[in-house]
Amino acid sequence: MAKLSGFIFAVASLSIPAFASQACTSIYNLTVPGAEVLNITSVLQSNVSTPAFPPGPTEGGLSFCDVTVVLTHPGENDTVTTEVWLPLTGWNGRFQATGGGGFLSGIGPAELGPAIVQGYAAASTDGGNIGLGIGINPAAFTSDGPLPGIMADYIYRSVHDMAVIGKAVTASYYGKAPNYSYWNGCSTGGRQGLQAAQAYPDDFDGIMAACPAINLAEALIAIEWPYIVMNNDKTAPSQCVFNAFLNASIAQCDELDGVKDGLISNVTGCAFDPYQLVGTQVLCDGTNVTISEAVATVYRKILDGPKSPSGDSLWPGLYVGVRTDDLYPGDAHTVTTNGTTVAVPFPVGDEWVTYFLERNSSFDTHSITYADVPELFAESVSSYGNDSSNNPNLSPFQKAGGKLIVWHGLSDNLLPPAGTLRYRQKVEELLGGTDAVNDFWRLFFVPGVSHCGGGYGPVPTDALAAVVAWVENGTAPDTLPAEYVNYSGATVNHDICKYPLVSRYDGKGDPKVASSYTCAESFEPAS
């Protein structure tokens, strides 16, 4: 390895053009306002394979310049690492910053690989490592809670630094600045994108923010709520029993949108009553299980969301039609072993209570009572409400010419979609109503889809492409193309309509074809 001015450069023994090597190893003069750059490492990579996120086909045979920048913010005692991948050939002239999940600020290769395959220069950040995997990093916490510098990195600062670094490294490598810069993320990544629009409106020309974990202080109590319910009611339904409620709700509400397709599109119009299943039997692992009133009560409370003991709603719950046994176990996760079922908390909600609110790594979340919930909710909002990425004033982003697409699965099993709707409504109240906000932000609610994908509904196939078309060509999307494989194994194409419109079946076409649907103001079937 060569060393120059305190920076380390490594060049792998690869069969690649000399100019690529020279361009990669010349990236060393970098300034990040408000931060001190500690180290820059540049490595030429060849024939690399990466996973994809959400899980999908592996990206293989990748060659790129891999630049890692380590920095700190003076006085903050933090260390933040940003990685930038630069395709050796076929750069599309764009920069893409990618997001994280849970307490992880960036997912790294699983998102960088797909981005450079499409020709983007792409970046990911560890956000100072408040998280390890999806859960927290205990080293980032003291008895007073999260270290202030690391909390700032996680909420807002590391994304801005990544934008500065990514654009500068891209310009250094290719000899010109990117023509356009984009954000692409889901869950925490969705929150980070909206936070960037709120705090740094000039960082990105376009933002794709799916299933955003905004309203952080409120939403994380909502994530913990099903675990609290099952513990307090001493009733944990098996996933098989949960599926009985799912199937019954689909049977009742599937055709509210005018077509029988196995989806609940009209979730707010679905008056499903879980108590109607009391006394019925469901076959689970070869045994007939009778659904009790206690089980129906648990299901009702999960849909209702966190409440005070007096019944006051604190935050919305999950929508009817949620799939609890999805690829990513959600809020209402249970595990059955030898006939005994226990509730399993989702780590993000559980660790939020343990480390952020109780500030005690030994705290037993199993002991939380219904009476404790309002106090926990109030503490969460009081301590972290300003860190919840839900500032409705998007006017600076609008004035900067930025474009934003948000989609959220109506069957999200982690983050209540109603939280995203509440945020949208606040933005509309502030900025002049639905049409005014639609000029720069299009929102899409997707039936049957779980958190960031999965579930049993049509997942948007390339929402970022819609952002790019809007930014670069002025093509504002009225629909998002989406696709899934239904229960019979058939591929279904379905366009998702922009909020507040809904998809309405034309009454005669093939329900598996997108052209059989139109966007309408209500779910009333076509005459």
Side-chain angles (χ1 to χ4, degrees):
M1 287 188 183
K3 191 173 184 180
L4 178 64
S5 301
F7 298 128
I8 298 173
F9 303 97
V11 182
S13 178
L14 309 172
S15 177
I16 51 180
F19 78 88
S21 173
Q22 181 179 355
C24 190
T25 57
S26 66
I27 300 171
Y28 57 87
N29 186 16
L30 182 63
T31 300
V32 181
E36 176 187 351
V37 176
L38 302 176
N39 190 38
I40 303 176
T41 304
S42 300
V43 181
L44 280 172
Q45 304 280 11
S46 180
N47 198 28
V48 173
S49 295
T50 71
F53 178 82
T58 297
E59 303 290 358
L62 306 181
S63 296
F64 53 94
C65 174
D66 182 357
V67 180
T68 301
V69 178
V70 183
L71 59 76
T72 186
H73 300 90
E76 298 279 20
N77 194 33
D78 63 342
T79 302
V80 182
T81 299
T82 297
E83 189 171 11
V84 186
W85 286 13
L86 306 150
L88 303 185
T89 60
W91 178 48
N92 62 18
R94 306 180 181 105
F95 166 69
Q96 179 185 150
T98 64
F103 292 122
L104 201 64
S105 293
I107 299 171
E111 289 197 330
L112 294 174
I116 67 169
V117 165
Q118 294 182 334
Y120 289 89
S124 179
T125 179
D126 69 5
N129 283 322
I130 199 172
L132 293 175
I134 199 170
I136 62 97
N137 173 13
F141 292 79
T142 69
S143 58
D144 295 322
L147 297 170
I150 291 180
M151 188 65 179
D153 291 331
Y154 173 67
I155 295 298
Y156 67 91
R157 189 166 53 194
S158 64
V159 167
H160 175 60
D161 289 346
M162 175 169 51
V164 172
I165 292 167
K167 294 178 189 180
V169 167
T170 300
S172 177
Y173 182 72
Y174 295 111
K176 58 171 290 189
N179 298 320
Y180 301 96
S181 296
Y182 295 96
W183 175 265
N184 189 18
C186 187
S187 192
T188 290
R191 180 194 63 76
Q192 290 168 310
L194 283 168
Q195 177 68 44
Q198 296 162 24
Y200 300 100
D202 297 312
D203 277 357
F204 302 105
D205 300 295
I207 293 172
M208 199 295 290
C211 310
I214 53 172
N215 308 299
L216 200 63
E218 296 91 346
L220 287 170
I221 301 300
I223 285 176
E224 188 75 352
W225 172 250
Y227 180 64
I228 295 171
V229 168
M230 288 185 278
N231 288 334
N232 277 262
D233 286 18
K234 294 180 172 49
T235 301
S238 69
Q239 291 303 303
C240 175
V241 170
F242 271 125
N243 280 336
F245 288 100
L246 168 65
N247 295 333
S249 64
I250 292 174
Q252 176 179 323
C253 299
D254 179 358
E255 295 184 78
L256 291 178
D257 60 354
V259 60
K260 186 175 182 179
D261 57 2
L263 297 175
I264 302 179
S265 298
N266 189 359
V267 290
T268 56
C270 178
F272 174 70
D273 179 7
Y275 290 99
Q276 70 190 39
L277 267 66
V278 173
T280 63
Q281 291 188 330
V282 57
L283 184 64
C284 296
D285 294 327
T287 301
N288 282 319
V289 177
T290 301
I291 295 179
S292 66
E293 183 173 346
V295 167
T297 297
V298 164
Y299 197 80
R300 178 74 270 163
K301 289 179 179 178
I302 288 173
L303 297 183
D304 287 344
K307 289 187 174 184
S308 70
S310 61
D312 295 327
S313 177
L314 301 175
W315 198 249
L318 303 174
Y319 278 142
V320 65
V322 65
R323 182 170 177 172
T324 59
D325 67 340
D326 203 28
L327 180 62
Y328 307 110
D331 303 353
H333 185 44
T334 59
V335 172
T336 302
T337 305
N338 296 326
T340 299
T341 302
V342 296
V344 180
F346 191 73
V348 172
D350 215 49
E351 292 179 345
W352 180 261
V353 174
T354 300
Y355 288 90
F356 289 80
L357 303 183
E358 294 295 332
R359 301 177 175 89
N360 177 4
S361 61
S362 300
F363 179 74
D364 179 15
T365 55
H366 190 275
S367 67
I368 299 172
T369 67
Y370 286 133
D372 296 328
V373 173
E375 183 178 345
L376 286 172
F377 189 85
E379 168 66 17
S380 189
V381 173
S382 173
S383 297
Y384 301 101
N386 292 332
D387 296 323
S388 289
S389 306
N390 57 1
N391 180 357
N393 186 12
L394 293 178
S395 58
F397 182 73
Q398 179 185 24
K399 291 174 182 176
K403 304 301 180 187
L404 169 66
I405 288 178
V406 175
W407 69 262
H408 203 142
L410 290 174
S411 294
D412 194 313
N413 57 345
L414 283 177
L415 294 169
T420 295
L421 177 59
R422 286 191 178 194
Y423 175 69
R424 167 72 185 216
Q425 290 169 338
K426 288 182 179 179
V427 175
E428 290 185 0
E429 290 172 6
L430 188 65
L431 300 186
T434 300
D435 290 342
V437 174
N438 274 341
D439 284 343
F440 72 96
W441 173 14
R442 299 279 166 107
L443 172 62
F444 300 84
F445 285 112
V446 188
V449 173
S450 293
H451 191 62
C452 294
Y456 54 96
V459 180
T461 52
D462 195 347
L464 180 61
V467 176
V468 171
W470 194 3
V471 168
E472 300 181 19
N473 303 325
T475 308
D478 290 324
T479 60
L480 285 184
E483 184 177 284
Y484 74 113
V485 177
N486 67 15
Y487 290 121
S488 66
T491 298
V492 178
N493 294 293
H494 199 123
D495 290 341
I496 308 303
C497 299
K498 75 174 186 292
Y499 169 85
L501 302 180
V502 295
S503 177
R504 188 173 69 183
Y505 179 54
D506 66 7
K508 56 186 181 227
D510 183 348
K512 298 188 293 297
V513 178
S515 60
S516 300
Y517 299 82
T518 58
C519 293
E521 294 183 358
S522 74
F523 282 101
E524 293 300 321
S527 57

